[in-house]
Amino acid sequence: MDTKKEVLDILNDLTGEDLSDRMDENIFENGLLDSMASVQMLLSLQEKFGIDVPVSEFNRAEWDTPAKIVAKVESLENE
């Protein structure tokens, strides 16, 4: 499974935008994701990758760019 591609597919579904060439763009500051979309993103990532990310432990600063999301998912997959 290509983690980067799968994460970008989820983000594309949520934002309606291809972020593959904007991996370091802050998706919260630019208004692509809000708190409700964050929850949907976490649920989609949990379902797709079998990882556990409790919303109560979600730190927006660790998930604010596509690159950080890919890195976080990869680290959680390896736990």
Side-chain angles (χ1 to χ4, degrees):
M1 177 185 316
D2 182 350
T3 302
K4 179 180 175 182
K5 180 189 178 320
E6 297 291 338
V7 167
L8 287 171
D9 285 348
I10 289 170
L11 290 174
N12 187 310
D13 288 345
L14 290 171
T15 66
E17 297 197 26
D18 177 8
L19 299 172
S20 59
D21 59 348
R22 297 156 47 193
M23 293 298 290
D24 294 317
E25 183 172 332
N26 188 309
I27 56 178
F28 297 106
E29 286 181 2
N30 68 14
L32 289 175
L33 284 187
D34 59 16
S35 57
M36 286 300 295
S38 300
V39 173
Q40 184 59 46
M41 175 186 71
L42 292 178
L43 292 172
S44 296
L45 292 171
Q46 290 177 139
E47 182 179 316
K48 176 63 91 177
F49 296 101
I51 59 176
D52 186 33
V53 185
V55 175
S56 60
E57 295 178 19
F58 178 76
N59 180 345
R60 186 180 269 196
E62 295 177 359
W63 298 82
D64 61 1
T65 69
K68 286 183 183 178
I69 296 167
V70 171
K72 194 75 170 162
V73 167
E74 288 175 341
S75 73
L76 291 168
E77 280 186 302
N78 295 323
E79 283 188 354

